[in-house]
Amino acid sequence: MTLGEKITDLRKKRSLSQEDLAITLGVSRQAVSKWEVGVSHN
């Protein structure tokens, strides 16, 4: 399981949208999306 898959799995288990997680972490929804698909290098 990749890191992105783990993020997605845990987010969904907690019934959070990407937007909800982004707000909680203080990042953009796009950042969360990129993490989940493994695009971000930061």
Side-chain angles (χ1 to χ4, degrees):
M1 180 179 272
T2 67
L3 179 58
E5 289 169 336
K6 288 178 185 178
I7 293 169
T8 303
D9 183 55
L10 291 171
R11 177 178 61 77
K12 289 182 177 181
K13 283 181 179 175
R14 287 161 176 76
S15 300
L16 295 171
S17 67
Q18 287 183 343
E19 184 72 20
D20 293 333
L21 181 58
I23 290 168
T24 300
L25 297 176
V27 300
S28 68
R29 189 212 45 84
Q30 290 85 354
V32 173
S33 177
K34 287 180 180 181
W35 296 340
E36 290 184 355
V37 296
V39 173
S40 181
H41 299 286
N42 295 333

